Amino acid sequence: MPHLGILAFAMPAALLIGISKGGFGGALGGLAVPLLALVMPPTHAAAVVLPVLCMADFTGLQRYYRKWDVANLKIMLPGAIVGILVGSLTFGMLSEHLIGMIIGVIAIVFFLLGLITGQNNTGSEEPKRLKGALLSGASGFTSFVAHAGGPPVMMYLLPQQMEKVRFIATCNVFFLLINAMKLIPYTLLGQFTQESLLTSMALGPVVVLGVWLGGWLQGKVNQTWFYRIARLGLLLTGTQLMIQNW
């Protein structure tokens, strides 16, 4: 069984993943790995988090089934697959710290540009094939390397200002598919251990509770506040990535 000290940090992380996935499109889920990294090596933390992410995605699928934006997914998924393949082939060759720092800086700059330009108050942006392919490719890559795939996806989807349930559902099915794909290379690379899998299983009930709680909270906020929270999540994740990888 997992050590109680590890579970003391892992359970809040799993709850945060569930709330973020279930109600805010994963905006705050990137904070989970750093919580676990306080009590275990980052690579071990990533191996624990991946099955938890899959559980959260699958649980959220039941709430948001077929509410996603098909046009965006057709743009995003091919790019993400390429990004995962690149991450698999270059595993261990590139600096995780440098990648995390770059993504953190970009996320913060994107948030600040939104404030300066008043992007929240402008009309919605149409899906753009090149932008979507590049950012979803970056998401697949950074998701594989450090479970930091959220910021690139947020940067692509937030300007579209789509209805909040459609936004969450699109993020849900996107990450459900790419996290499931990541299970194969993670297994082949020997990332999973008996201890990591037992820890992930122990967190199952917590992440399910978090998804339910996130869905409940999402129903309590309007469209304006939903996007404010999502953008704040992007800022917090970007800041966390910078601090973690400084």
Side-chain angles (χ1 to χ4, degrees), residues 17 19-30 150 154 167-168 171 175 237:
I17 288 172
I19 293 172
S20 182
K21 292 276 189 179
F24 300 97
L28 300 172
M154 301 283 281
F167 176 92
I168 298 169
C171 290
F175 283 110
T237 301

Side-chain angles (χ1 to χ4, degrees), residues 12-69:
L15 186 66
L16 182 60
I17 288 172
I19 293 172
S20 182
K21 292 276 189 179
F24 300 97
L28 300 172
L31 302 177
V33 173
L35 274 177
L36 287 176
L38 294 173
V39 290
M40 63 179 71
T43 53
H44 187 57
V48 169
V49 167
L50 181 55
V52 173
L53 290 171
C54 291
M55 284 186 275
D57 292 326
F58 184 76
T59 305
L61 182 66
Q62 300 175 42
R63 176 183 290 269
Y64 299 110
Y65 184 67
R66 302 195 75 170
K67 296 177 182 178
W68 47 75
D69 189 295

Side-chain angles (χ1 to χ4, degrees), residues 108-187:
I108 293 173
V109 169
F110 179 85
F111 172 83
L112 294 175
L113 285 175
L115 289 181
I116 295 169
T117 61
Q119 194 175 57
N120 286 335
N121 302 318
T122 61
S124 59
E125 178 181 286
E126 291 297 317
K128 296 180 178 179
R129 187 169 296 277
L130 180 59
K131 179 181 179 181
L134 290 174
L135 286 174
S136 60
S139 176
F141 176 75
T142 57
S143 179
F144 182 87
V145 173
H147 296 317
V153 167
M154 301 283 281
M155 284 183 260
Y156 173 60
L157 291 179
L158 282 174
Q160 297 183 32
Q161 295 287 298
M162 66 178 72
E163 194 274 326
K164 61 178 181 175
V165 171
R166 183 174 292 271
F167 176 92
I168 298 169
T170 303
C171 290
N172 173 263
V173 72
F174 175 79
F175 283 110
L176 171 66
L177 293 172
I178 70 168
N179 284 329
M181 283 184 248
K182 283 157 51 181
L183 290 171
I184 298 172
Y186 261 63
T187 301

Side-chain angles (χ1 to χ4, degrees), residues 58-101:
F58 184 76
T59 305
L61 182 66
Q62 300 175 42
R63 176 183 290 269
Y64 299 110
Y65 184 67
R66 302 195 75 170
K67 296 177 182 178
W68 47 75
D69 189 295
V70 175
N72 270 307
L73 289 173
K74 286 181 178 178
I75 294 172
M76 297 165 67
L77 287 173
I81 293 171
V82 173
I84 291 171
L85 287 173
V86 173
S88 303
L89 294 172
T90 59
F91 184 76
M93 296 170 58
L94 301 175
S95 169
E96 293 182 24
H97 293 292
L98 178 60
I99 293 167
M101 177 67 72

